[in-house]
Amino acid sequence: MVGIKDVAKRAGVSIGTVSNVVNRPHVVAAATRSRVLSVIEELGYVRDESARQLRAGRSRVMGLLVLDLGNPFFVDVVRGAEQAAHAEGLNIITCNSGQRSELEASYLAMFAEQRVRGVLLSPVATSGAALGAFRRSGTPYVFVDRKVPASEASSVSVDDVAGGALAGRHLLETGHRRIAFVNGPAILAQCRDREQGLRNALAGSTAELTVLEAIGLDVSSGRDAGARLLGMSPRPTAVFCANDLQALGVLQAMVGAGVRVPDEMAIVGYDDIEFAGAAAVPLTSVRQPARRLGRTAAELLLAETSDTKPERRAVVFTPELVVRESTRVRR
């Protein structure tokens, strides 16, 4: 690779002059600056940012590790985090664990080795060897879409128990008494909390609840759950899914089988991604403020890595039910 010494030699200036052109161009005479910039372009010189950050003692890069970048919810989380980071002149490296603990461990180790400023983390689980090893590295981190005690770490999350209860009450109010819940991987606290909220809402009612376990939080898992719903007798009249991608898969299965939504099967999703409102039958969904989650988490991490180092915080947002055609009131 071309180094700063190569540029200085070709331009006939000192290494310090090249450094000033790159970092403080206003202190270099215009003619000299122009000559050095021409050589930089000619040789393809790229500043060694990692070395500069090590000398300064503080990285200008944050890490962000999410569960599934195929889910538009997490894409919006990333956008919110980038907004806060860019406002402070920082960049973000985004990685996708795919809900796999071993991949999560690999990325966390990479972040620690690269000495990033800090990490925004949506973990597969808050316990386990991978996270324990990362904690010992001393790298600052903030949990995103996961609530933990403030004594452990700062976190930004949504009250998923309340969100599940919103869905359950809505289905009861629209006349449903045979209700199914399509769950996600049991290791994810978000899925467990949404199921608990649904159960809380149905407690004391005459509603019957059927829980279908799914291996993922994607459209394919939703289609599989939809096929299982179609084979039930008596069939539930409503289904609440752990996220919108599952709900879209269930919707595909129902439409493909000629089951009318919502007359024969009402569907509620979770997250309120853009595709929920744009579906063939617009989906009712529990909305999470995804961009605010990412932006707030990044702001907490920036504060924790500043000189003031405020106390850790657990920020919890309240979800909102967005009612659309997939659950309109039954006649």
Side-chain angles (χ1 to χ4, degrees):
M1 294 180 64
V2 176
I4 193 170
K5 292 181 179 179
D6 301 309
V7 175
K9 182 178 179 180
R10 178 70 65 87
V13 298
S14 68
I15 292 174
T17 298
V18 178
S19 177
N20 282 335
V21 169
V22 172
N23 298 300
R24 298 187 301 158
H26 60 281
V27 305
V28 182
T32 303
R33 183 169 67 243
S34 177
R35 185 167 75 253
V36 171
L37 289 174
S38 295
V39 172
I40 286 174
E41 183 176 358
E42 175 191 349
L43 298 181
Y45 167 73
V46 178
R47 178 175 62 183
D48 188 346
E49 180 66 16
S50 61
R52 190 181 74 85
Q53 291 175 1
L54 284 173
R55 289 193 298 270
R58 178 171 294 179
S59 172
R60 301 194 65 78
V61 175
M62 296 166 59
L64 173 56
L65 181 57
V66 298
L67 290 171
D68 183 10
L69 276 177
N71 186 340
F73 166 76
F74 285 110
V75 174
D76 282 339
V77 170
V78 172
R79 287 171 176 162
E82 287 178 337
Q83 182 182 19
H86 292 169
E88 297 299 322
L90 273 69
N91 292 311
I92 287 184
I93 297 175
T94 302
C95 298
N96 175 36
S97 73
Q99 301 173 34
R100 294 165 52 194
S101 297
E102 70 278 8
L103 195 54
E104 177 181 89
S106 175
Y107 282 131
L108 289 175
M110 181 270 288
F111 285 142
E113 290 167 359
Q114 295 298 319
R115 302 291 193 270
V116 296
R117 176 80 160 261
V119 175
L120 304 174
L121 173 61
S122 182
V124 177
T126 54
S127 59
L131 198 52
F134 180 67
R135 288 188 179 105
R136 290 191 292 274
S137 75
T139 305
Y141 62 94
V142 170
F143 285 116
V144 186
D145 194 34
R146 184 67 62 88
K147 184 180 179 181
V148 298
S151 58
E152 178 181 341
S154 289
S155 63
V156 181
S157 62
V158 171
D159 188 341
D160 286 316
V161 174
L166 283 174
R169 287 195 297 269
H170 175 64
L171 292 176
L172 288 177
E173 291 166 359
T174 49
H176 296 281
R177 293 300 179 267
R178 292 198 306 274
I179 298 171
F181 177 60
V182 179
N183 208 346
I187 194 172
L188 298 180
Q190 298 95 317
C191 296
R192 298 196 301 270
D193 287 349
R194 291 166 196 178
E195 179 182 348
Q196 185 59 56
L198 174 63
R199 290 185 180 278
N200 292 348
L202 302 186
S205 74
T206 59
E208 300 175 4
L209 176 63
T210 300
V211 177
L212 303 180
E213 301 293 340
I215 61 173
L217 290 166
D218 51 21
V219 174
S220 177
S221 295
R223 283 195 297 264
D224 176 70
R228 283 184 278 166
L229 286 169
L230 290 168
M232 291 182 182
S233 181
R235 183 187 299 160
T237 62
V239 56
F240 170 41
C241 299
N243 78 347
D244 284 338
L245 294 181
Q246 287 182 336
L248 289 170
V250 170
L251 177 61
Q252 285 184 2
M254 295 301 122
V255 172
V259 174
R260 293 173 297 165
V261 177
D263 300 293
E264 296 175 272
M265 179 70 72
I267 304 174
V268 179
Y270 205 104
D271 291 337
D272 195 33
I273 62 176
E274 184 177 358
F275 299 129
V281 180
L283 285 173
T284 293
S285 184
V286 179
R287 175 179 292 167
Q288 298 197 84
R291 292 201 184 194
R292 287 185 66 193
L293 281 172
R295 185 173 67 250
T296 304
E299 289 170 348
L300 288 179
L301 185 58
L302 287 167
E304 287 195 11
T305 56
S306 68
D307 294 332
T308 58
K309 295 183 180 179
E311 292 184 359
R312 292 169 174 167
R313 295 174 57 200
V315 179
V316 182
F317 290 105
T318 301
E320 172 190 359
L321 183 70
V322 180
V323 179
R324 299 191 180 95
E325 287 301 303
S326 69
T327 60
R328 72 169 183 265
V329 178
R330 306 178 74 206
R331 295 181 180 179

